[in-house]
Amino acid sequence: MRALVLLVVLFVSITGFLSVSTVHAASSAEIPTEGGTWTSSTITILIVPQLSAPWFKSSYTFDVNHAVSRWSQSITAYTDIYGSNYLRDLSFVTCVSGVNDTLCGSPDIQVRFIESFGSQSSGLGLTRYGVQNSVFQAPTITTLVAYDPSNTTQLSDIDMVNIASHEFGHALGLAHATASLTDDGTFELMFLSYGQAVGNPRNTLEAPSTLDLFALSYIYDWLATSSMLNGSGHPKTDLALPSGASYSSVYPYPEQLQMLQNSISQLKLEIIILAIVAALLLALVLVFAILLSRKKPAPPPPYSWGSVPSTPTV
């Protein structure tokens, strides 16, 4: 019986050791808007690569394009759950300077690259915009760096996608969210600082949160009635999620599927490990029980017949 209790205690301890603790953010997070909106449902983005610069990676051009595309995919996933389907009317057209820049004409947003901000700033990206009557004035200029402020660590492709996604959020009209993590423990894309170590090969892609996309639905609510805005946009506003809405990152569907597959694989691995450990513990208990059963009992003490009476004398 004691062996069985010991087995249960060890099993529970191992289960607790393998479980992963989750960090939660405050669901009272807010995000201010920049007080601007684009007046057309089609927003053009011109990417200006620095191909001749030794610090520039040619893959950065694809990274920026991928960042913009992921915003579109996150909008689709968000509207499937929360509505605001007019957000799907937003169309992002990306062009590359020297390749197909004529398709963008006079672009709304220009994305440029520099080696590093150096001592000028501790940031990894910067978006400058002009606003008049709560309407953005083209062009908005986004600058992305190739190296961290110390100019020693280069951004990986995942870093560049994340930073470009963050800056594109600014270009669309979002300011900085007040929380660094969502309630599901993922990074808040629009938080002030980058939550991952630059250049770390284990960094993961970040995605707009439900808070970011809710704010976007507020900025572009004019799309519900028209494909063009003829008046003014909303002024700067602090927004929080409505009651009942979950605060989480909204990943594109293909990434959600991949994350689910990874979780299932991890769960299978943990189950296999638990099964192996449980089998080993059970084997030890059985061996211990067998050894106990084979232990010979101590022989009984010799029987005492008592003293022999002496022969009476006559």
Side-chain angles (χ1 to χ4, degrees):
M1 183 63 182
R2 290 181 179 178
L4 181 60
V5 172
L6 177 61
L7 176 61
V8 172
V9 170
L10 289 174
F11 183 82
V12 172
S13 300
I14 293 168
T15 304
F17 175 77
L18 290 175
S19 64
V20 179
S21 60
T22 304
V23 179
H24 292 283
S27 56
S28 59
E30 295 184 348
I31 186 169
T33 65
E34 300 280 15
T37 182
W38 295 103
T39 58
S40 172
S41 59
T42 300
I43 300 172
T44 55
I45 305 101
L46 177 65
I47 305 171
V48 185
Q50 300 294 317
L51 298 177
S52 61
W55 46 262
F56 182 78
K57 292 171 58 176
S58 59
S59 57
Y60 285 165
T61 302
F62 169 80
D63 296 337
V64 174
N65 183 72
H66 187 44
V68 174
S69 174
R70 290 178 74 247
W71 265 95
S72 295
Q73 296 177 65
S74 291
I75 287 173
T76 299
Y78 173 82
T79 53
D80 278 344
I81 299 174
Y82 295 101
S84 301
N85 289 336
Y86 54 82
L87 276 179
R88 298 191 183 195
D89 293 336
L90 283 174
S91 175
F92 307 135
V93 178
T94 56
C95 305
V96 178
S97 178
V99 178
N100 61 346
D101 47 323
T102 56
L103 295 178
C104 286
S106 298
D108 299 311
I109 303 167
Q110 290 185 19
V111 180
R112 303 172 180 176
F113 301 89
I114 62 172
E115 184 174 5
S116 173
F117 286 129
S119 59
Q120 299 177 5
S121 171
S122 60
L124 301 172
L126 179 66
T127 296
R128 298 184 182 275
Y129 57 88
V131 176
Q132 185 175 353
N133 296 325
S134 298
V135 171
F136 286 126
Q137 305 298 302
T140 285
I141 305 297
T142 290
T143 304
L144 303 173
V145 302
Y147 280 81
D148 68 350
S150 67
N151 208 27
T152 57
T153 305
Q154 188 169 22
L155 273 69
S156 67
D157 288 316
I158 287 180
D159 292 329
M160 184 58 72
V161 172
N162 290 338
I163 301 303
S165 297
H166 175 96
E167 295 303 326
F168 189 61
H170 287 319
L172 291 176
L174 301 175
H176 288 132
T178 58
S180 60
L181 298 174
T182 66
D183 282 345
D184 62 3
T186 55
F187 292 105
E188 165 58 68
L189 176 67
M190 294 309 299
F191 187 61
L192 174 64
S193 59
Y194 189 42
Q196 305 186 70
V198 172
N200 190 330
R202 301 186 66 179
N203 284 354
T204 58
L205 288 174
E206 301 176 12
S209 70
T210 49
L211 176 62
D212 306 333
L213 293 164
F214 173 73
L216 201 69
S217 70
Y218 171 80
I219 296 171
Y220 293 93
D221 59 1
W222 54 266
L223 281 170
T225 57
S226 175
S227 61
M228 295 288 294
L229 176 64
N230 296 317
S232 301
H234 294 295
K236 292 183 178 181
T237 309
D238 293 339
L239 297 171
L241 282 170
S243 177
S246 64
Y247 183 28
S248 59
S249 294
V250 185
Y251 287 89
Y253 283 133
E255 294 176 25
Q256 291 185 34
L257 180 60
Q258 184 61 52
M259 293 166 69
L260 178 60
Q261 291 174 342
N262 292 342
S263 297
I264 293 174
S265 298
Q266 180 65 27
L267 180 60
K268 288 181 179 178
L269 178 61
E270 291 182 358
I271 291 175
I272 291 173
I273 293 174
L274 284 174
I276 293 174
V277 173
L280 290 174
L281 291 174
L282 181 59
L284 289 174
V285 171
L286 291 176
V287 169
F288 184 66
I290 292 172
L291 291 176
L292 287 177
S293 65
R294 289 183 176 180
K295 187 176 181 181
K296 295 182 179 180
Y303 180 78
S304 177
W305 293 97
S307 59
V308 178
S310 58
T311 304
T313 56
V314 178

